Amino acid sequence: MTGFLSTQYYSSLGKLKLLRNQHALSVLTTSQRKYSSKDAAGIEFLQKSVVPTMHYQKSLPRLPVPKLEDTIRRYLAAQRPLLNDEHYSKTEKVAHDFQSDLGKQLHEELVALDKQNKHTSYISAPWFIMYLSARESVVLNFNPFMSFNPDPKPEYNDQLVRATNMVCSAVRFMKTLRGGLLEPEVFHLNPAKSDTNSFKRFIRWVPSSISWFGAYMVNAYPLDMSQYFRLFNSTRIPKQKRDELFTDDKGRHLLVIKQGNLYVFDALDRDGNLMKPSEIQAHLKYILTDSTPAPSFPLGVLTSENRDTWAGLRQKLLDAGNGEVLRLVDSALFCLCLDEEVMKDHIHISHNMLHGDGCNRWYDKSFSIILAKDGQAAINFEHSWGDGVAVLRFQNEVFKDTTEKPLVGPSSQPASVDSASAVRRLDFKLNEELKAGIVKAKENFNSAVSKLTIDAMEFKKGGKEQLKKKKLSPDAISQLAFQMGFLRQYGQTVATYESCSTAAFKHGRTETIRPASIHTKRCAKAFVQEPGKHTVDQLQGLLHECSKYHGQLTKEAAMGQGFDRHLFAMRYLANSKGMALPGLYLDPAYAAINHNILSTSTLTSPAVSLGGFAPVVPDGFGVGYGVHDEWIGCNVSSYPSRNVHEFLKCVHKSLEDIFTVLDGKPIH
């Protein structure tokens, strides 16, 4: 999701059009579109798009490299609420020195490099390298989860029925994508004009090299789809110092894990067609009823290890003669985890889908569909290959297909086939060193997840509808509630991160919105520490100020005009040249603003019940949230140094105060 179209093109009209609805843009990654195909797509495909899937890819605009002076100005604005006057003036001097000296040089080199690499974006390669070079475990540190809503027909939530339908829909999605028949991902600002058959029939004949402009003329913004090919047959392979992404699109088999045992069977026949749903059901039933005990040394837990440790152990697995079975794991279409547990509540679901027991997972697969005993389902995905855009589209399509057009039902009979020969349970040759490595990995895993606490909150007294009526951004108000909540609990304003997709650009990834501002600090202080000193009108005015500024930050981030990725890319460039790091990067304030105590991400979709991730720092909160029409939900994680239960009480109180003031009543 990166690209660089001349800034003038976007400035005036384009920028306003793309972000006419500031809330809409803040959820570029999560917009609720209806993916449908008018004609019957048959059993092999989910849909048959008139416009080829990758039709817009060639002509996507390029991610702009922001002007250096804009980046420094935005950086200092984000630092202001975090620093006292003395520290701020030091940081200001360091930043201006950087702007006039080494920063100027690095920026010019970055722009020159970007011009030489017009096929991609300036952030794409450094971002991949950052993820793949990280040595921490992918569990808790990187892999997030998104849980599916239950099937509205309760009898279809049976584990075997739902697993079969999800596998069939996932394979059909894959075939639709690879056949170029999946509707291109487009952000429609005027669907009545652009999301129509007549427009699609017109645009398909416009050459790919200019098709984006055709969509732009009707207020539609095609999004980058370059990450999609990594969804299937893909795995992150551990290597010393830097991992690699592996994809083998010839794999026809599915990886299934149950009780720590790994199984494979073909989900596609030799011609690449979906196997009969009744046969897939038979094979899954065979696995579910297999009485093989859980292995004493479950291999999957190794994927939760430190990456260098896992790389060393993987080499030992290869040396011990496990190359062929590892290749089957790595090239599998995707991973299906069939769990033995029944989910008790949302908190149980979050823990199970985020990390589970470590044994019934292969965390390195591009994504895994996890199905609990009671049919509760989720996707857990490895984050280096892509962001939420591709995964959410996949999840929406699979949910829609399995609930509207399921291929098997509660009364379906599995086919009478020889599953014993079609399904292969993978056996691994383990020596004493590997067994010891597995035991140690399990100990490390248990120690890490035992420190994690998750809690959830639903605020039922208002949501998107009420806020929009008051002309307030729902996302801005949610973020303000987190600032108020943290101030109420800990008495301070801290570094805060909100992810924003830059998928409107070729090979775009994400940009950071920095929700903590002088406006939120002023407003939070008024609400939390001195409510009696302000009239209701004044408090409402402060809310509108926060909303307006947050809207501006969101627009800038979605247009590739944040400061985080630009500073990151220049730092990466300095490192790659062996330069001594400029003073800006050595300033304690730079380390502090990148120590994101509040890490936040929003998600609303008809398919998704809740999403979650662990904090990104030991003294942080991982805040997943969704603003619905009539309510606001949060799913938050923390480690022992923070109290997540108290934080959610403070956030709830903040939302109550905000909605009280919006009702024209004073707060106490």
Side-chain angles (χ1 to χ4, degrees):
M1 316 188 246
T2 343
F4 177 79
L5 177 70
S6 82
T7 332
Q8 295 89 298
Y9 196 106
Y10 254 109
S11 56
S12 56
L13 176 70
K15 193 177 287 186
L16 289 170
K17 274 186 180 174
L18 180 53
L19 290 150
R20 188 176 293 151
N21 175 340
Q22 69 191 44
H23 173 65
L25 246 186
S26 73
V27 285
L28 246 179
T29 55
T30 58
S31 46
Q32 297 182 33
R33 285 169 305 286
K34 292 189 175 66
Y35 305 116
S36 63
S37 170
K38 299 288 186 287
D39 53 18
I43 197 170
E44 291 300 316
F45 303 107
L46 286 185
Q47 54 198 218
K48 290 193 175 173
S49 175
V50 174
V51 185
T53 308
M54 304 305 271
H55 188 55
Y56 299 109
Q57 196 66 27
K58 260 189 199 167
S59 58
L60 283 173
R62 300 197 59 229
L63 183 73
V65 179
K67 289 177 182 167
L68 183 59
E69 58 268 31
D70 288 344
T71 287
I72 297 302
R73 175 177 52 77
R74 291 170 181 140
Y75 171 65
L76 289 172
Q79 285 284 16
R80 183 65 274 211
L82 307 180
L83 302 170
N84 63 27
D85 292 349
E86 184 193 346
H87 288 146
Y88 178 74
S89 60
K90 283 181 189 167
T91 292
E92 191 175 34
K93 184 182 183 313
V94 168
H96 286 140
D97 289 349
F98 175 79
Q99 183 180 337
S100 56
D101 186 18
L102 290 173
K104 190 168 184 284
Q105 178 193 328
L106 286 167
H107 173 74
E108 283 166 4
E109 285 186 43
L110 183 66
V111 169
L113 260 175
D114 184 58
K115 282 184 177 157
Q116 289 163 27
N117 291 281
K118 292 191 173 169
H119 62 288
T120 185
S121 70
Y122 78 88
I123 198 65
S124 186
W127 208 242
F128 273 119
I129 289 164
M130 173 203 69
Y131 266 122
L132 294 170
S133 303
R135 300 292 82 194
E136 304 93 333
S137 164
V138 296
V139 183
L140 302 188
N141 297 302
F142 296 104
N143 287 29
F145 83 91
M146 299 188 290
S147 69
F148 284 91
N149 275 317
D151 192 303
K153 304 179 292 297
E155 65 275 19
Y156 280 79
N157 290 310
D158 171 83
Q159 190 180 25
L160 176 59
V161 171
R162 201 168 199 202
T164 307
N165 281 321
M166 284 198 168
V167 168
C168 292
S169 293
V171 172
R172 294 171 74 218
F173 179 96
M174 184 267 295
K175 290 206 62 186
T176 311
L177 171 66
R178 289 185 180 162
L181 297 168
L182 188 70
E183 292 265 354
E185 187 75 355
V186 177
F187 185 67
H188 297 279
L189 277 178
N190 185 1
K193 221 174 176 184
S194 56
D195 199 11
T196 63
N197 284 334
S198 56
F199 175 73
K200 289 171 187 174
R201 282 196 295 270
F202 158 74
I203 200 73
R204 70 175 294 185
W205 297 111
V206 175
S208 285
S209 55
I210 57 168
S211 55
W212 180 88
F213 298 93
Y216 172 81
M217 297 317 286
V218 292
N219 232 351
Y221 292 82
L223 304 184
D224 179 81
M225 296 182 76
S226 62
Q227 298 172 5
Y228 278 60
F229 84 100
R230 292 268 189 214
L231 263 171
F232 298 98
N233 302 104
S234 296
T235 302
R236 176 173 173 162
I237 308 287
K239 299 277 183 183
Q240 296 295 337
K241 294 189 178 166
R242 189 202 296 173
D243 294 354
E244 290 171 6
L245 292 173
F246 168 86
T247 302
D248 176 8
D249 61 13
K250 292 181 182 62
R252 295 184 284 118
H253 59 285
L254 178 69
L255 173 67
V256 184
I257 313 184
K258 193 206 74 165
Q259 277 194 298
N261 288 303
L262 280 67
Y263 305 80
V264 292
F265 67 82
D266 284 351
L268 294 163
D269 66 19
R270 291 210 172 110
D271 299 322
N273 298 316
L274 175 69
M275 297 288 261
K276 285 180 184 165
S278 59
E279 289 184 19
I280 289 172
Q281 187 181 11
H283 300 337
L284 290 173
K285 184 178 181 182
Y286 173 83
I287 292 168
L288 280 170
T289 53
D290 181 27
S291 57
T292 306
S296 306
F297 302 98
L299 210 72
V301 76
L302 291 179
T303 64
S304 73
E305 256 294 9
N306 166 283
R307 302 307 292 175
D308 283 338
T309 306
W310 171 208
L313 288 165
R314 183 185 163 92
Q315 190 53 53
K316 290 184 169 66
L317 278 167
L318 293 170
D319 296 343
N322 294 293
E324 187 253 348
V325 277
L326 281 173
R327 174 81 190 203
L328 284 170
V329 170
D330 297 337
S331 62
L333 289 162
F334 61 92
C335 179
L336 173 70
C337 307
L338 297 171
D339 287 358
E340 297 286 288
E341 281 187 275
V342 170
M343 298 293 101
K344 294 192 283 283
D345 53 30
H346 282 328
I347 310 302
H348 190 193
I349 290 170
S350 290
H351 278 289
N352 192 60
M353 305 314 188
L354 183 62
H355 56 78
D357 67 356
C359 304
N360 213 47
R361 303 284 181 271
W362 196 273
Y363 299 106
D364 289 352
K365 286 301 283 179
S366 54
F367 74 89
S368 298
I369 293 179
I370 303 164
L371 261 160
K373 196 78 175 167
D374 55 359
Q376 287 284 353
I379 290 178
N380 179 297
F381 68 98
E382 197 281 309
H383 218 319
S384 66
W385 65 271
D387 307 300
V389 188
V391 181
L392 186 70
R393 172 73 186 274
F394 169 74
Q395 189 158 2
N396 283 339
E397 296 283 12
V398 165
F399 182 75
K400 182 180 169 61
D401 194 53
T402 54
T403 53
E404 292 180 9
K405 290 181 281 187
L407 294 179
V408 302
S411 58
S412 303
Q413 287 304 307
S416 301
V417 287
D418 183 9
S419 289
S421 56
V423 177
R424 175 180 168 190
R425 183 167 54 80
L426 302 182
D427 280 317
F428 292 87
K429 303 181 183 85
L430 303 177
N431 57 30
E432 291 311 307
E433 197 176 3
L434 285 164
K435 287 178 181 176
I438 290 170
V439 170
K440 183 70 182 144
K442 185 71 173 107
E443 285 170 11
N444 291 341
F445 174 89
N446 288 343
S447 168
V449 302
S450 69
K451 297 182 179 78
L452 186 79
T453 304
I454 300 176
D455 199 2
M457 180 273 289
E458 290 182 356
F459 176 79
K460 297 286 197 180
K461 296 176 187 175
K464 197 186 298 176
E465 291 303 314
Q466 210 171 326
L467 293 170
K468 281 184 170 176
K469 276 180 197 154
K470 300 284 184 184
K471 296 191 165 48
L472 290 168
S473 152
D475 191 59
I477 295 303
S478 303
Q479 288 289 345
L480 177 61
F482 305 145
Q483 295 299 316
M484 284 185 190
F486 198 91
L487 183 71
R488 187 180 293 279
Q489 188 177 8
Y490 295 105
Q492 59 186 144
T493 298
V494 290
T496 307
Y497 179 107
E498 179 183 0
S499 180
C500 177
S501 171
T502 48
F505 301 96
K506 185 181 289 183
H507 294 187
R509 294 290 306 239
T510 57
E511 182 53 271
T512 308
I513 300 168
R514 292 290 184 172
S517 67
I518 53 169
H519 304 283
T520 60
K521 191 174 186 177
R522 191 184 299 137
C523 187
K525 187 181 176 192
F527 269 76
V528 174
Q529 294 172 340
E530 43 191 43
K533 289 186 185 174
H534 300 80
T535 66
V536 169
D537 280 354
Q538 286 171 331
L539 291 174
Q540 286 181 353
L542 290 171
L543 292 175
H544 280 279
E545 245 173 60
C546 290
S547 178
K548 188 179 170 189
Y549 188 69
H550 188 78
Q552 180 193 325
L553 291 180
T554 302
K555 287 179 191 181
E556 288 172 353
M559 299 306 299
Q561 294 291 335
F563 67 82
D564 281 85
R565 299 300 175 267
H566 188 197
L567 289 180
F568 172 85
M570 288 189 286
R571 180 182 180 162
Y572 174 82
L573 188 57
N575 275 331
S576 62
K577 294 173 61 174
M579 266 174 74
L581 270 185
L584 179 139
Y585 298 111
L586 303 171
D587 180 7
Y590 180 80
I593 202 170
N594 286 296
H595 184 88
N596 290 300
I597 288 172
L598 285 170
S599 180
T600 73
S601 189
T602 186
L603 189 74
T604 47
S605 153
V608 177
S609 164
L610 73 166
F613 49 93
V616 296
V617 292
D619 57 339
F621 289 115
V623 184
Y625 66 102
V627 188
H628 304 269
D629 287 346
E630 305 298 336
W631 62 284
I632 297 169
C634 299
N635 198 34
V636 184
S637 60
S638 75
Y639 293 118
S641 65
R642 297 284 181 196
N643 183 334
V644 68
H645 313 297
E646 188 61 31
F647 175 68
L648 282 174
K649 280 181 195 164
C650 291
V651 170
H652 196 277
K653 165 75 173 135
S654 303
L655 287 168
E656 280 185 344
D657 286 352
I658 290 167
F659 278 84
T660 298
V661 164
L662 290 178
D663 281 342
K665 297 172 192 158
I667 51 171
H668 306 290

